[in-house]
Amino acid sequence: MKVTYETFTPDDALAREFTRAVGQLAGELGGEHPFYVNGCARDGDRLGVELETAPHDERFVVGHFAQAGPADLDDAIESAHAFFAEWDDTPWSERVELVARVAKLVAARRFELAAILAYEAGKPLLEAIGEVDECVELVDYYCAQMRANEGFSIPMGAPSERERAYSVLRPYGVWAVIGPFNFPLALTLGPIAAALITGNTVVLKPSPHGYLSGHAVYRLFMDAGIPAAALHLLTIPEQRLGERDWFYTHAGLAGLTFTGSYETGMRMYRGFTAARPRPVICEMGGKNPAIVTTYADLDKAAAGIARSAFGYAGQRCSACSRAFVLRERYDELLARVLRARDSVVVGSPLDPASEIGPVIERAAVDRLLAAAAECRALGTPVYGGIQLREPAHGHYAEPTVAEVAPDARVMRDELFTPFLGISAVESFDHALELANGLSYGLTAGLYSENPAEIERFVQRIEAGVIYVNRAAGATSGAWPGVQPFGGWKASGNTGRGGGGLHYLQQYMREQSRTFVR
Ligand code: SIN
């Protein structure tokens, strides 16, 4: 069964295979994992190991991961740098052929990888399989882009018969990929594939909540035949965050891709470019609005808003966390969103019947509790807003809706939990103004059957990914080759989306070549 982020119900075979894979992986978790420099395992003996636990049950050990330090990074970059010329000289078609094998391996390991996501990221069946299938599509799409553009070497105008001129896109060198916890496969594997196809070599640093996924990604590329000097895996723990500047300021890195919070992204962006200009691709959060107007189909609106607000427990960068509803439709829309909220099945990600699993850590539960308490203190109605004690030992937060003023703190700060703030507004223009009123600009949704409103929305909304009348997700669920995914304003620095037409080019710089006979 093909799964995308628009798939609502798994078939029996999918559920059976997922359950089998989850059961099998249970017996294999909890082991010790080295990191890899130039294909050699290192145990980081001087720095020790970090233990990672599962969000669905904190007694459950995902693994112990050796910690890499500055000397390991020096070695990884030295090796990646030494190999860069050879990799750059490899014909682009050969690089594409090698990376294309990764997609085939992902497909072959579909359930094994989904099981990793269930344990490590707390993803229930459809979210987990969806991310795995997204990886296949990302790699296929980037390979197809490279082929369609013939390696990005394009003949230009000829000023005379004796001259031939070309525009050639060339790789930069050693590229760092810093992954997030919420899409630990797709948002490491995708950027690595892009960097390698275009001729860069790579150092991967997965999220401390995504170490096992990072290992799985590394293995995929190694098993596909990518030379060990072209990709290095360093696990660097959270506790060293304050000291982590040594990673992203390293002079030997030529470019960097980061997905995560605005604060961390900006710190990297500044640090990385402080000494000299270097390309950075940062995807940094959102506070994504949905607008519901007088002319909305409320069935679509309620379904789409609930799915984007609560899907993956509100931990997609694209989650819908603000809804602005025209006053005359407010009560009806609220009632429908609450019905959708009530019917959501929250449970262990290992159970194929669960629709929503845990949040990633205790701090995320605390953020939801604090937001709910704040709204209650303001005297506004809150539906939900508690920690769920069942299943026990996990980080489960109740999907929550709060009726709030549009300027409340919870309507401005990114919470990364299943928390939706909803406000009544007097006009479509006011809703648009509120939607654009924050520094973020990742995704946005509109529900209106009025062509003039739709036109105004698409022209005026300040967001990189927008949806109109989508029941499958008001603001979330982008798919490679369909919805390029990248933010505007504080949500992203490049204005070019992953899985889109303009993504690969960011990993290369232009060289203008003129040959005279
Ligand atoms: C994300 O939010 O990071 C994934 C893409 C999406 O849901 O649109």
Side-chain angles (χ1 to χ4, degrees), residues 5 134 182-183 187 259 288 315-319 416 442-443 465 467 470 475-479 483 485:
Y5 296 130
E134 183 187 4
N182 60 348
F183 286 83
L187 294 181
T259 312
N288 308 300
Q315 298 173 108
R316 288 172 171 267
C317 310
S318 58
F416 242 61
L442 185 53
T443 71
V465 189
Y467 300 97
R470 188 158 168 269
T475 58
S476 63
W479 198 250
Q483 289 107 357
F485 190 80

Side-chain angles (χ1 to χ4, degrees), residues 34-114:
F35 53 87
Y36 292 91
V37 174
N38 203 20
C40 298
R42 293 194 178 187
D43 59 13
D45 49 351
R46 277 171 303 125
L47 298 168
V49 293
E50 191 189 35
L51 175 147
E52 188 189 340
T53 57
H56 77 278
D57 184 338
E58 60 192 354
R59 298 168 307 172
F60 210 99
V61 177
V62 171
H64 300 82
F65 295 88
Q67 302 177 14
D72 302 304
L73 179 64
D74 286 344
D75 294 347
I77 289 178
E78 195 182 317
S79 160
H81 196 260
F83 184 65
F84 170 62
E86 190 177 330
W87 188 238
D88 179 21
D89 286 346
T90 305
W92 64 264
S93 53
E94 280 178 34
R95 293 197 304 261
V96 166
E97 220 168 279
L98 279 176
V99 173
R101 287 188 203 158
V102 171
K104 294 204 166 43
L105 289 173
V106 172
R109 296 175 192 176
R110 190 185 196 204
F111 292 98
E112 181 191 319
L113 293 167

Side-chain angles (χ1 to χ4, degrees), residues 68-265:
D72 302 304
L73 179 64
D74 286 344
D75 294 347
I77 289 178
E78 195 182 317
S79 160
H81 196 260
F83 184 65
F84 170 62
E86 190 177 330
W87 188 238
D88 179 21
D89 286 346
T90 305
W92 64 264
S93 53
E94 280 178 34
R95 293 197 304 261
V96 166
E97 220 168 279
L98 279 176
V99 173
R101 287 188 203 158
V102 171
K104 294 204 166 43
L105 289 173
V106 172
R109 296 175 192 176
R110 190 185 196 204
F111 292 98
E112 181 191 319
L113 293 167
I116 291 176
L117 291 173
Y119 283 105
E120 186 167 53
K123 293 204 171 188
L125 190 162
L126 284 179
E127 294 284 353
I129 303 273
E131 182 174 345
V132 175
D133 290 2
E134 183 187 4
C135 290
V136 176
E137 304 265 337
L138 274 171
V139 174
D140 284 349
Y141 185 77
Y142 294 147
C143 290
Q145 282 298 304
M146 201 69 181
R147 291 189 194 104
N149 290 283
E150 297 184 5
F152 293 93
S153 174
I154 313 284
M156 301 295 287
S160 76
E161 270 189 12
R162 295 175 53 237
E163 287 172 75
R164 287 177 296 124
Y166 298 86
S167 159
V168 182
L169 295 188
R170 307 287 316 282
Y172 281 94
V174 184
W175 200 280
V177 173
I178 302 179
F181 81 81
N182 60 348
F183 286 83
L185 291 182
L187 294 181
T188 53
L189 189 142
I192 292 170
L196 288 174
I197 285 175
T198 51
N200 300 279
T201 53
V202 177
V203 179
L204 165 64
K205 192 197 88 56
S207 158
H209 294 292
Y211 286 149
L212 199 60
S213 300
H215 274 265
V217 167
Y218 179 76
R219 265 200 319 275
L220 285 162
F221 283 95
M222 291 302 108
D223 293 351
I226 297 296
L231 176 62
H232 310 262
L233 168 69
L234 298 185
T235 41
I236 301 172
E238 196 86 312
Q239 295 95 290
R240 301 175 66 82
L241 183 73
E243 308 160 36
R244 233 169 35 185
D245 290 3
W246 52 262
F247 185 90
Y248 59 82
T249 55
H250 197 292
L253 292 171
L256 179 146
T257 300
F258 166 79
T259 312
S261 72
Y262 174 77
E263 288 71 26
T264 309

